Amino acid sequence: MKQDTTASAFNEASLTNVHADLSAMIKRWRRYLETERRMSQHTLIAYGHDLGSFLRFLSIYKGEMITTALLESLQVREFRAFLAARRADGLSAASTARTLSSVRNLYRYLARAESIENDAIDAVQAPKVPHRIPRPLTEEATKSAIETLPELVTDDWVAARNVAVISLLYGCGLRISEALALSGDDRPRGDTMRIIGKRGKERVVPVLPVVQDAIETYTQQCPFALKPDGPLFVGKRGGRLNPRIIQSAMQDVRAALALPETATPHALRHSFATHLLSRGGDLRTIQELLGHSDLKATQVYTEVDSARIRDVYDQAFKRN
């Protein structure tokens, strides 16, 4: 299902007022991203939508069929006009920057694989994206969230499932996509678990006893037979659990505990890293546990910890 959705996003982008030769190149680019770059289905869909917006803009802006020759002839001003149109449509700076990144990726592929080049795209500056640090929950808020989850649903097995998923996000630092991609055969049977992350990168994470217990409770209460090659976490009809269900569960927790809007499933992964760092964990180890390919992505948590210390200091010494 996901692959069909991804393919349709690219097909829609590639078949609208686009010459057949270019359409075929775009499809080859998609296969390259999926098979060689091993991008996630979520990223592929985003790239497809970004490309679709770019091609639709060109079709209207230039008033002609989009060909490889047209892509080669575009000037800086025309790329800037596209970005301005995206901002006018209400896209944030971050989303606009991602759209430009998608278009650049296509041009890099065309230059390398199809001998179609345009240096103008490299001269276009992406909009500045404000530097933001992750917003983790406090240890107290995380504990309260996990304790509150079972109170917000009526089915015991659903409550156990939600607790197991959230425990994996916080206790092991998993992405929600990684947790929900687990199969029945992936469930921990010892104190470690093998995780397949972004672009097929494999890592081994330790599994705390409390997380093992949460998963065991769920598997015992689940009314469906969890097959070794089937999903570990299932919905009420027995199919693979949709991430929206967990996002909705966290939304209910936010309302119940008056937590900020930043208290999302992904914030639990941030909380895992931040709390581990504050307890003396080293960056390299945290990097490996999170599956970050670049240490810079992990170093942001040092900013989180410093900000937390400053807040504590300000609260302790603020003047009346």
Side-chain angles (χ1 to χ4, degrees):
M1 180 69 71
K2 288 184 179 180
Q3 290 184 343
D4 292 341
T5 303
T6 307
S8 66
F10 272 79
N11 289 339
E12 177 186 357
S14 62
L15 297 177
T16 305
N17 201 27
V18 176
H19 191 276
D21 289 344
L22 178 57
S23 178
M25 292 178 188
I26 289 173
K27 292 177 181 178
R28 289 196 289 271
W29 174 55
R30 177 198 180 276
R31 287 196 295 271
Y32 161 75
L33 295 177
E34 184 174 29
T35 60
E36 295 188 36
R37 292 288 304 279
R38 304 186 71 175
M39 288 186 171
S40 69
Q41 296 298 313
H42 176 80
T43 302
L44 287 169
I45 290 171
Y47 271 42
H49 287 313
D50 290 340
L51 178 62
S53 67
F54 177 61
L55 297 179
R56 286 191 292 272
F57 168 82
L58 286 182
S59 180
I60 297 171
Y61 189 79
K62 301 296 288 187
E64 59 184 277
M65 175 170 283
I66 304 167
T67 63
T68 56
L70 175 61
L71 292 188
E72 286 184 300
S73 70
L74 293 179
Q75 302 296 311
V76 172
R77 64 177 180 275
E78 290 159 323
F79 289 114
R80 287 175 177 166
F82 167 61
L83 297 182
R86 297 302 285 160
R87 292 305 300 270
D89 288 340
L91 258 69
S92 66
S95 295
T96 305
R98 189 205 68 192
T99 299
L100 177 60
S101 177
S102 300
V103 175
R104 276 185 172 144
N105 190 293
L106 171 64
Y107 269 96
R108 284 196 296 269
Y109 171 81
L110 292 176
R112 193 191 77 257
E114 310 287 353
S115 299
I116 295 169
E117 299 185 6
N118 185 328
D119 294 336
I121 186 73
D122 295 326
V124 181
Q125 288 189 340
K128 291 185 178 180
V129 179
H131 176 65
R132 296 177 180 174
I133 62 175
R135 300 290 299 274
L137 281 70
T138 65
E139 293 187 37
E140 294 77 12
T142 304
K143 181 180 178 182
S144 296
I146 295 175
E147 291 175 346
T148 303
L149 275 170
E151 302 173 6
L152 303 178
V153 294
T154 54
D155 293 338
D156 288 343
W157 81 270
V158 172
R161 179 200 65 196
N162 292 353
V163 169
V165 173
I166 293 301
S167 296
L168 274 171
L169 304 188
Y170 177 61
C172 299
L174 301 193
R175 302 175 178 93
I176 188 170
S177 59
E178 293 170 342
L180 300 190
L182 293 172
S183 68
D185 202 38
D186 292 327
R187 53 193 283 195
R189 291 178 172 79
D191 56 3
T192 61
M193 177 185 289
R194 185 178 65 93
I195 302 298
I196 304 297
K198 286 186 175 181
R199 300 181 183 177
K201 185 178 179 181
E202 182 178 322
R203 68 186 190 274
V204 176
V205 299
V207 183
L208 298 172
V210 65
V211 178
Q212 295 180 36
D213 292 344
I215 295 174
E216 186 64 26
T217 299
Y218 155 67
T219 56
Q220 289 179 355
Q221 295 187 11
C222 182
F224 300 98
L226 300 176
K227 299 178 181 179
D229 58 347
L232 174 59
F233 296 110
V234 298
K236 289 189 175 181
R237 296 183 179 180
R240 189 176 297 277
L241 183 61
N242 190 306
R244 277 296 308 152
I245 301 299
I246 300 301
Q247 291 163 353
S248 179
M250 279 300 296
Q251 191 173 7
D252 293 340
V253 168
R254 288 201 304 268
L257 299 178
L259 297 175
E261 290 295 314
T262 53
T264 63
H266 199 66
L268 295 167
R269 175 173 157 89
H270 294 323
S271 304
F272 164 83
T274 305
H275 299 167
L276 194 59
L277 182 64
S278 67
R279 292 177 177 271
D282 67 275
L283 279 178
R284 284 293 183 186
T285 299
I286 296 174
Q287 176 191 3
E288 292 177 5
L289 294 177
L290 292 175
H292 285 162
S293 57
D294 191 338
L295 184 61
K296 290 181 180 179
T298 314
Q299 287 174 329
V300 69
Y301 293 109
T302 62
E303 298 181 51
V304 177
D305 200 42
S306 297
R308 183 187 64 81
I309 292 172
R310 285 196 301 273
D311 288 342
V312 171
Y313 182 90
D314 291 341
Q315 288 294 322
F317 295 97
K318 68 180 180 179
R319 296 177 181 177
N320 296 326

